Amino acid sequence: MENKPIARKFRLLSQLMELHEENPFKTKSIANAAFKIDKLPFSVAGKTQEELEKVDGIGKSTAAKVIELLQTGTITELQELLAKTPEGIVEMMGIKGIGPKKIAIIWKDLGIENIGELYYACNENRLVEAKGFGFKTQEEIKKVIEFRMAGNGKFLYAQVDHEAHELLDEIRGIFPDALKHIAGEVRRRNDIISELVIVVGSIDQQIAFDALATSTLLNNVTLNGNHISGELNNGLLVDIICVQRSQYYKELFLNTGSEDHVEAVLKRITDELEAPESEEIIYEKANLQWMPPELREGTDFIDKAIHNQLPTLITLNDLKGALHNHSTWSDGVNTLEEMAVYCRDELKLEYLGISDHSKSAFYAKGLSIERVLQQHEEIDHLNKKLDGFHIFKGIESDILNDGSLDYPDEILARFDFIVASIHSNLKMTEEKATARLIKAVENPYTTILGHPTGRLLLSRKGYDIDYKKVIDACAANNVIIEINANPLRLDLDWRWHQYAISKGVMLSINPDAHRNSGLHDMTYGVIAARKGGLVKEHCLNALPLAEIKDLFEKKKGAVSA
């Protein structure tokens, strides 16, 4: 074993010792030994224990650990500390800018156990409030995590949307008269993107290559036939396809839909597909209704297109309000009034549903019963003050380990609506997670089931659930399911929207905003909803104020009846 991997083992040992508040003198000694071993001009592997003991900065105890490592491949003390440290916490040790003391706060005070949860907490602005952190530190940690996420070649749609359109604008400048469009995963609005494809109706690829070779947006530009390849500054791979204008719409079609979607459509075309003048003509030749790009994922909507029964997909303009939001009462950045005014004046919405964290979410300043009552007094005051706008009293009630909701029934009864969500004890079997969710759904006070799987895209898989059982329980108990619009969540997954709709379950596109800017995440929620084929009639917050008031009142009335 070389000196560097040995030094890394000792560095990790010293970090874990500091994390678990071991003897500070001993911890510092191990840290110094790690530094010394890394810089030694000779290999420690060739030395005896007696020789190592004489090396300045190592000593008898550390020398014994070096020999143990060389002979067994590990250090007993290191293994003992690893055994009582979550794997995600160990992974955090590699993040630049946070040492063991800060990681201890993240883990023990904020209840965060992996990098995905840490990234989400940065987006929620939760680190700013923690001891020893500030906005600058939080942003630096966020950037490091984003860089790590990019290392696997996959990106959230929200991370690439802006850059993709910037590059398209640059291509417009090169070919102002040519047809050009984003295709592939970005055009289908996939939640995870691995490549940006752009189709250009021009065979002057050499001109495009020469211009893009000096682009500040595109790196490592190469020309291969009619393909110009490169990568964006964030590392996303790019493929620009240049074709004759007559072949443009055929190429756009072929490069937009998933492979099985394209194959299913082409199988229905009997004559030659030569030079279609639009994508609509391609679908017409296949005796299909034209399909929006979001629905060109697989073959699920082909049958509806055959019978001209594709849904009229929901749009951002269809939304009348924003439910599931957090203010300064818990871990939000903006006050209740600031969020309400922003929704009314900037977003032109009719209502805001505030749902700060419940009392068990101590890490997010969850509301005690006393603070719930105080917040309700403020909401009553604001509803009298704000003209043409309404704030609904909500809460994001933690689903406790046994499936019950935070707060006793007499407090739950005071809310207009309740978002029930799991935030703790995420390591569950599918059976346990399903039973826990169903019990929460069967609680008569539950209005909305929040982010049902707890996933964080590219960061945390989330717990497995029996989707059909959970959705069926929502149908039986008149519970709405959330489409959490945070681009890291997008949960309920779009692949289950049609099943929910078929069971008569309404969905709600909720921003889970922790600041005013987070309200704009509803854009990504709408994108996910469109992929799932959602129409406004099945979306809770597409209801106008009078109708959603009536729905909430009927739900509460059913409980007291």
Side-chain angles (χ1 to χ4, degrees):
M1 188 180 289
E2 299 295 325
N3 284 9
K4 280 196 177 296
I6 295 172
R8 282 196 293 268
K9 290 285 187 184
F10 277 85
R11 189 175 302 114
L12 177 59
L13 175 58
S14 70
Q15 290 175 319
L16 289 171
M17 290 170 70
E18 186 175 353
L19 177 70
H20 290 282
E21 299 180 333
E22 300 280 321
N23 183 298
F25 178 79
K26 186 178 175 185
T27 299
K28 187 175 182 180
S29 175
I30 294 293
N32 289 339
F35 179 81
K36 172 65 73 173
I37 291 168
D38 189 34
K39 303 300 181 184
L40 285 174
F42 55 84
S43 173
V44 299
K47 301 293 182 181
T48 65
Q49 181 169 335
E50 289 75 17
E51 289 172 324
L52 289 174
E53 289 175 8
K54 296 175 183 177
V55 176
D56 181 46
I58 292 184
K60 186 174 182 179
S61 175
T62 302
K65 289 181 173 62
V66 172
I67 297 300
E68 181 187 7
L69 177 60
L70 291 171
Q71 291 177 348
T72 68
T74 188
I75 303 170
T76 301
E77 190 174 354
L78 176 60
Q79 290 306 116
E80 290 172 350
L81 290 171
L82 286 171
K84 60 181 183 179
T85 311
E87 188 177 331
I89 296 297
V90 177
E91 193 180 357
M92 274 185 216
M93 298 288 187
I95 296 179
K96 183 181 178 181
I98 48 174
K101 285 187 172 63
K102 282 189 169 67
I103 291 174
I105 293 168
I106 289 168
W107 176 24
K108 296 174 182 177
D109 293 356
L110 300 182
I112 295 167
E113 290 195 355
N114 62 54
I115 289 177
E117 292 173 356
L118 178 59
Y119 184 61
Y120 188 72
C122 289
N123 282 334
E124 289 185 327
N125 217 48
R126 198 182 297 165
L127 262 65
V128 170
E129 299 294 330
K131 182 181 177 182
F133 291 84
F135 182 77
K136 184 178 178 182
T137 302
Q138 177 177 274
E139 290 305 298
E140 287 173 353
I141 292 170
K142 186 177 174 182
K143 286 177 183 177
V144 172
I145 297 174
E146 285 176 345
F147 181 78
R148 289 168 67 99
M149 290 168 66
N152 65 10
K154 296 181 184 298
F155 298 81
L156 303 175
Y157 176 86
Q159 290 176 313
V160 305
D161 181 37
H162 178 71
E163 288 81 356
H165 285 89
E166 274 191 327
L167 181 59
L168 185 64
D169 286 341
E170 188 162 325
I171 293 171
R172 284 195 182 102
I174 299 169
F175 295 120
D177 299 322
L179 296 166
K180 75 282 294 181
H181 209 292
I182 291 170
E185 297 167 331
V186 177
R187 191 176 182 213
R188 294 200 307 276
R189 308 285 188 89
N190 287 13
D191 42 21
I192 303 296
I193 306 296
S194 58
E195 183 184 37
L196 167 62
V197 178
I198 297 176
V199 180
V200 180
S202 171
I203 56 172
D204 294 325
Q205 57 262 29
Q206 187 64 52
I207 293 174
F209 172 73
D210 291 342
L212 292 170
T214 58
S215 171
T216 58
L217 300 175
L218 202 61
N219 303 311
N220 304 321
V221 184
T222 59
L223 177 62
N224 184 11
N226 67 328
H227 290 256
I228 301 170
S229 301
E231 59 183 51
L232 297 179
N233 292 325
N234 61 14
L236 179 67
L237 297 177
V238 176
D239 184 17
I240 302 166
I241 307 171
C242 299
V243 297
Q244 291 184 359
R245 190 181 182 94
S246 61
Q247 295 298 304
Y248 175 77
Y249 287 106
K250 179 181 178 181
E251 200 69 29
L252 182 62
F253 163 76
L254 292 174
N255 284 280
T256 292
S258 65
E259 188 175 333
D260 46 355
H261 175 86
V262 170
E263 183 181 346
V265 174
L266 291 179
K267 276 184 179 178
R268 298 179 55 84
I269 299 175
T270 54
D271 56 343
E272 192 68 27
L273 186 62
E274 293 180 348
E277 296 178 359
S278 68
E279 284 189 310
E280 284 81 355
I281 288 175
I282 297 172
Y283 283 93
E284 188 179 315
K285 283 180 175 288
N287 291 312
L288 294 169
Q289 183 181 359
W290 179 80
M291 301 183 72
E294 296 96 324
L295 301 185
R296 302 185 203 177
E297 200 75 55
T299 59
D300 289 351
F301 287 93
I302 293 286
D303 190 59
K304 289 183 184 293
I306 291 172
H307 298 96
N308 202 37
Q309 293 177 345
L310 286 177
T312 301
L313 300 179
I314 193 167
T315 68
L316 188 62
N317 288 334
D318 290 325
L319 302 186
K320 305 300 181 187
L323 303 171
H324 188 173
N325 303 287
H326 300 268
S327 71
T328 50
W329 278 93
S330 63
D331 58 346
V333 173
N334 292 101
T335 65
L336 253 175
E337 183 170 7
E338 287 170 345
M339 295 188 85
V341 170
Y342 191 83
C343 283
R344 183 191 65 182
D345 297 348
E346 300 297 325
L347 303 182
K348 309 303 179 187
L349 298 175
E350 299 177 11
Y351 52 87
L352 167 73
I354 198 66
S355 49
D356 279 303
H357 287 285
S358 63
K359 60 186 176 71
S360 290
F362 61 89
Y363 53 85
K365 298 195 309 186
L367 274 63
S368 65
I369 292 174
E370 182 182 19
R371 294 182 68 228
V372 166
L373 301 179
Q374 291 170 348
Q375 187 188 61
H376 286 186
E377 287 181 9
E378 182 184 358
I379 292 171
D380 289 338
H381 169 72
L382 289 172
N383 278 335
K384 292 176 183 176
K385 177 181 176 181
L386 297 172
D387 185 39
F389 192 82
H390 188 78
I391 302 172
F392 286 108
K393 299 169 183 173
I395 196 76
E396 186 177 18
S397 177
D398 269 27
I399 299 174
L400 305 180
N401 200 42
D402 64 353
S404 61
L405 298 188
D406 228 353
Y407 303 123
D409 287 355
E410 58 267 26
I411 298 301
L412 294 174
R414 290 175 173 268
F415 296 102
D416 295 318
F417 74 103
I418 290 169
V419 180
S421 306
I422 290 177
H423 291 110
S424 59
N425 300 322
L426 304 183
K427 296 173 183 176
M428 299 175 283
T429 63
E430 179 179 315
E431 184 180 15
K432 164 68 176 174
T434 300
R436 187 175 173 186
L437 287 175
I438 288 175
K439 183 174 179 182
V441 164
E442 290 174 344
N443 188 308
Y445 292 100
T446 298
T447 317
I448 301 171
L449 178 60
H451 43 73
T453 72
R455 75 179 187 182
L456 297 175
L457 293 167
L458 295 180
S459 303
R460 184 176 75 197
K461 176 180 175 287
Y463 36 83
D464 293 321
I465 65 171
D466 186 322
Y467 282 92
K468 288 187 176 181
K469 284 184 179 179
V470 172
I471 292 170
D472 290 350
C474 289
N477 292 278
N478 194 28
V479 169
I480 296 107
I481 299 179
E482 173 177 85
I483 302 172
N484 190 291
N486 186 300
L488 274 163
R489 289 195 183 272
L490 302 180
D491 184 18
L492 181 70
D493 187 282
W494 62 266
R495 295 165 185 84
W496 287 97
H497 294 182
Q498 282 300 298
Y499 183 79
I501 291 166
S502 73
K503 293 294 182 176
V505 175
M506 290 189 80
L507 304 175
S508 184
I509 300 171
N510 294 345
D512 198 354
H514 288 69
R515 64 188 78 193
N516 285 344
S517 59
L519 291 158
H520 292 280
D521 282 349
M522 286 194 292
T523 298
Y524 303 113
V526 168
I527 287 169
R530 287 173 65 87
K531 283 193 74 65
L534 184 65
V535 299
K536 67 178 182 180
E537 289 78 12
H538 287 119
C539 180
L540 174 67
N541 55 313
L543 293 176
L545 178 57
E547 291 184 29
I548 198 169
K549 265 188 181 180
D550 186 55
L551 184 147
F552 287 159
E553 286 169 5
K554 284 181 178 177
K555 175 78 174 177
K556 291 181 70 173
V559 177
S560 58

